[in-house]
Amino acid sequence: MKKYIFLTVLSFILSSCGTSKELYSWSMYQKASYNYLKKADEKSTELILDEYKKVISTQKGIRKAVPPGIYADYGFLLIQKGNLTEGVENLKKEIQFYPESKIFIDRILKLIEK
Amino acid sequence: MKKQLYLLVVISILITSCGPTSKLTKSQAYPEIYKQKPLAVLIMPPINRSTAVEAKEYFHTTLNVPIANAGYYVIPPFLSMEILKRESAYDSELFIDRPSLEIFRDIFGADIALFTIISKWDKSSVASNVKVEIEYIAKSTLTNEVLYSRKGEVIYNTSMSVGNNFLLNLVASALNTAATKYVDVAKACNSYTLSDLPAGKYAPKYGVDQQEMSGLKNFRVRLPK
């Protein structure tokens, strides 16, 4: 009898949907990015910068890697805020971790140099 | 007694498994994805044919997460938005039927341009439901073929909204305002629909999920489950 109860519980666990761990963890990034796109004021910029920092520093996803696009968008925002050195560093990190981004990011780096 | 218990096991598997699937495996439904092995995805600004102007941004800012989680490289969303605007290419209607999308391969290094068409975003005044109709179309920048497409009718009940972790909400209260309430609706539509995307390069299942079942091409669903 116990065996069947165990089986039932196990089958629930194995077949349940959407509870498995994801490739990356994102903190509150999605809400922050909507908020920033909508408002683009000082407060929303601060909030999304915080989220970028969190996503970069604490990765609980399966890959334990920073998700695609995060370094680049973070760098882009830093540059817009006038922090050129750190911004460019982050853009270069995007290429380092995701070589497929090179075509696009190199184009951006050239635009900045001009 | 034994039989009943077996039945219970089978039923519990049936009722907890993920939504209805089509009769096609992923490699039958999306053969070109396995052939072309696309990696970099450019998210095109959603085409909004609904009466709700705000729907476009809800979707635009939530599409990159499920695609990255499926193992693909997503071109940085804000940076690409900026460049599309500069190049006067921010209107996806101009590109969706174009015979070539090579320009996105040249500028962004994109293998796929992901289009979305929102045809309905209706907030019911009676129940706390949002009714959404949306189509996702992934086109190859190499061959211009449609590599993936699904169309869904989603009814989302906002009163059942998840994320009720009190502590988390307290910390993030600045982001959990009425303005961001509907972000969850778009998130749910995206992750439900795109959950049958073949795994991309960065996912553990890359190249080994051909025999998994794909979702229905046209579907109706109530969310959250």
Side-chain angles (χ1 to χ4, degrees), chain A residues 44-98:
Chain A
S44 65
T45 310
E46 247 171 65
L47 284 170
I48 196 167
L49 283 172
D50 276 351
E51 290 306 311
Y52 285 136
K53 282 181 213 157
K54 271 187 222 163
V55 173
I56 290 171
S57 63
T58 345
Q59 262 307 312
K60 299 172 201 145
I62 297 169
R63 271 195 82 207
K64 305 264 179 252
V66 174
I70 294 293
Y71 277 124
D73 273 349
Y74 178 49
F76 171 51
L77 202 54
L78 288 174
I79 291 167
Q80 281 184 318
K81 285 197 72 179
N83 191 346
L84 191 67
T85 321
E86 210 185 327
V88 168
E89 261 170 38
N90 276 283
L91 285 176
K92 286 182 177 163
K93 273 188 192 161
E94 182 80 20
I95 304 179
Q96 188 190 330
F97 289 99
Y98 295 102

Side-chain angles (χ1 to χ4, degrees), chain B residues 14-76:
Chain B
L14 285 178
I15 58 172
T16 53
S17 58
C18 298
T21 51
S22 70
K23 290 195 171 101
L24 298 176
T25 63
K26 289 187 183 182
S27 65
Q28 287 168 330
Y30 314 121
E32 283 300 312
I33 293 193
Y34 291 97
K35 212 166 125 194
Q36 294 187 23
K37 299 185 171 62
L39 170 60
V41 179
L42 176 67
I43 293 168
M44 298 299 293
I47 295 170
N48 190 2
R49 293 178 184 158
S50 81
T51 50
V53 198
E54 71 272 20
K56 179 175 179 170
E57 281 149 355
Y58 289 127
F59 281 98
H60 202 173
T61 49
T62 52
L63 278 160
N64 65 324
V65 168
I67 297 165
N69 279 340
Y72 292 85
Y73 178 72
V74 183
I75 319 274

Side-chain angles (χ1 to χ4, degrees), chain A:
Chain A
M1 179 67 190
K2 264 188 187 163
K3 194 172 112 192
Y4 291 106
I5 293 174
F6 173 72
L7 256 175
T8 308
V9 171
L10 191 73
S11 67
F12 260 108
I13 293 171
L14 288 179
S15 57
S16 63
C17 175
T19 50
S20 58
K21 214 174 169 192
E22 304 214 82
L23 213 49
Y24 310 100
S25 61
W26 300 83
S27 186
M28 296 287 286
Y29 162 80
Q30 293 190 88
K31 283 196 171 164
S33 53
Y34 171 77
N35 198 41
Y36 172 69
L37 182 69
K38 200 76 194 158
K39 296 179 187 156
D41 57 5
E42 206 175 316
K43 179 97 193 281
S44 65
T45 310
E46 247 171 65
L47 284 170
I48 196 167
L49 283 172
D50 276 351
E51 290 306 311
Y52 285 136
K53 282 181 213 157
K54 271 187 222 163
V55 173
I56 290 171
S57 63
T58 345
Q59 262 307 312
K60 299 172 201 145
I62 297 169
R63 271 195 82 207
K64 305 264 179 252
V66 174
I70 294 293
Y71 277 124
D73 273 349
Y74 178 49
F76 171 51
L77 202 54
L78 288 174
I79 291 167
Q80 281 184 318
K81 285 197 72 179
N83 191 346
L84 191 67
T85 321
E86 210 185 327
V88 168
E89 261 170 38
N90 276 283
L91 285 176
K92 286 182 177 163
K93 273 188 192 161
E94 182 80 20
I95 304 179
Q96 188 190 330
F97 289 99
Y98 295 102
E100 59 273 28
S101 69
K102 194 171 165 47
I103 297 176
F104 181 43
I105 304 296
D106 273 351
R107 192 179 285 270
I108 303 295
L109 289 170
K110 268 187 206 148
L111 274 176
I112 294 165
E113 278 166 22
K114 271 183 197 169

